[in-house]
Amino acid sequence: MKGAIAVMDDSGDTKIAWDSDNPDEVENARASFRRLRDKGYGAFKADKKGEKSETMHDFDPNAEKIIMSPPMRGG
Amino acid sequence: MTYYETFPFTNSGTAIDSTTSNTSWPFTGTDATASVTASTYVTNWPVVTNTSIIQQARQHAYVWEMWVDESEKRKENRTQRRARERKEAEEKRLAEERRQAQMLAAQEEAKRKAAIAEVANKRAEELLRSVLSPEQERAWNENKAFYVVGNKTKKRYKIDNRSHGNLTELDEKGKVVAGLCVYVPGVPTADHVAAQKLMLECNEEELLRVANRTQYAAPR
């Protein structure tokens, strides 16, 4: 099963993909997820279009799509 | 005194050699035998009258020296001026070339950035659409705005397509009661909109903690 993290940035977004059958890719994605969370990024699981998303605190290798956004700031 | 650039004079005297009437002049006319006929240069030189020939010769020599000196100075000034003008013209040309090159480089850079921004905006729009419900996507297509319900307070919010000041809180009747100022730095507008939607629907409490809220006096 393939999954991807879409990290929002100035290019739109950068994808970090993994195959759940590939431990290295899973570990790489997990490490990226943790690094971004430590920086304050929000993480949301969005499996299917239009379905209600949910906040993620830990990496889920079975998630199809994870969206991570930089920390929000008050204006 | 006036002197003329059309000098040299042509002498009719016996002691002055006409070949010396060049820039290697002056002759120091102390030779009492010099006999320069005043009339030969009366049209070019001021005529000095009532003086002896010797005195005239000396005076003319003096005038000649001054003429040569002045002529050299003028020549030098002309040469210097022309050199300066050439230098200034060259500097001006080079400055204009540099300005044109800088302008061209700035235009190319602006084009490059615009192309990058266009790609980024397109990607962000795709990401946003991938998280919108069918109803939200319809509203976005029509008005570039959609509505979201907060997961904690169940309040209704409207998000529109701007990078700042695009989030408003609505009352039960759909009137705007407050503005919420919260944004995601360094991302295209569509990413910022998607992040606001996801935060409100999944972690409304955190968004409200960060946002600056402006309560409006009366429902609009």
Side-chain angles (χ1 to χ4, degrees), chain B residues 71-118:
Chain B
S71 176
E72 288 299 314
K73 279 183 189 173
R74 287 182 181 183
K75 197 191 301 181
E76 188 182 343
N77 286 345
R78 272 200 305 276
T79 306
Q80 284 177 346
R81 188 179 68 246
R82 284 173 189 160
R84 181 173 46 80
E85 284 171 356
R86 272 197 300 273
K87 187 182 173 188
E88 283 174 359
E90 181 64 13
E91 283 173 358
K92 195 175 174 185
R93 186 187 66 80
L94 288 173
E96 179 60 21
E97 269 182 15
R98 275 195 299 272
R99 192 187 69 82
Q100 291 285 346
Q102 282 171 355
M103 206 166 69
L104 199 63
Q107 284 172 352
E108 291 298 315
E109 180 63 13
K111 272 188 199 171
R112 191 187 67 84
K113 283 186 176 175
I116 290 172
E118 192 179 341

Side-chain angles (χ1 to χ4, degrees), chain B residues 9-18 31-37 53:
Chain B
F9 70 84
T10 54
N11 69 299
S12 59
T14 57
I16 298 176
D17 186 340
S18 63
D31 186 353
T33 63
S35 59
V36 180
T37 307
I53 290 294

Side-chain angles (χ1 to χ4, degrees), chain A residues 10-34:
Chain A
D10 58 358
S11 73
D13 63 273
T14 299
K15 301 273 194 315
I16 302 170
W18 72 91
D19 186 331
S20 56
D21 294 330
N22 187 325
D24 289 338
E25 289 182 1
V26 170
E27 191 48 41
N28 179 54
R30 188 192 306 278
S32 298
F33 182 93
R34 178 45 51 198

Side-chain angles (χ1 to χ4, degrees), chain A residues 8-70:
Chain A
M8 291 181 183
D9 56 26
D10 58 358
S11 73
D13 63 273
T14 299
K15 301 273 194 315
I16 302 170
W18 72 91
D19 186 331
S20 56
D21 294 330
N22 187 325
D24 289 338
E25 289 182 1
V26 170
E27 191 48 41
N28 179 54
R30 188 192 306 278
S32 298
F33 182 93
R34 178 45 51 198
R35 179 172 44 82
L36 291 168
R37 284 289 294 155
D38 289 345
K39 287 183 180 178
Y41 274 59
F44 308 92
K45 188 176 178 182
D47 282 339
K48 292 178 184 176
K49 179 178 164 59
E51 293 216 347
K52 191 168 162 56
S53 306
E54 56 186 71
T55 311
M56 292 177 74
H57 298 285
D58 298 305
F59 177 69
D60 179 2
N62 297 316
E64 284 182 19
K65 186 161 136 189
I66 300 172
I67 296 173
M68 298 191 79
S69 71

Side-chain angles (χ1 to χ4, degrees), chain A residues 12-13 49 52 65 73 75, chain B residues 123 129-130 183 191 212:
Chain A
D13 63 273
K49 179 178 164 59
K52 191 168 162 56
K65 186 161 136 189
R73 291 184 193 170
Chain B
R123 288 169 66 95
R129 287 179 182 279
S130 74
Y183 69 102
D191 272 350
N212 285 320

Side-chain angles (χ1 to χ4, degrees), chain B residues 17-94:
Chain B
D17 186 340
S18 63
T19 61
T20 65
S21 60
N22 55 22
T23 57
S24 60
W25 191 276
F27 98 111
T28 52
T30 57
D31 186 353
T33 63
S35 59
V36 180
T37 307
S39 62
T40 62
Y41 48 82
V42 69
T43 58
N44 293 333
W45 288 90
V47 174
V48 180
T49 59
N50 299 322
T51 57
S52 69
I53 290 294
I54 292 177
Q55 280 181 323
Q56 283 186 11
R58 283 180 183 156
Q59 283 163 357
H60 291 305
Y62 170 72
V63 170
W64 173 247
E65 281 179 25
M66 286 181 67
W67 180 85
V68 168
D69 193 43
E70 182 64 22
S71 176
E72 288 299 314
K73 279 183 189 173
R74 287 182 181 183
K75 197 191 301 181
E76 188 182 343
N77 286 345
R78 272 200 305 276
T79 306
Q80 284 177 346
R81 188 179 68 246
R82 284 173 189 160
R84 181 173 46 80
E85 284 171 356
R86 272 197 300 273
K87 187 182 173 188
E88 283 174 359
E90 181 64 13
E91 283 173 358
K92 195 175 174 185
R93 186 187 66 80
L94 288 173

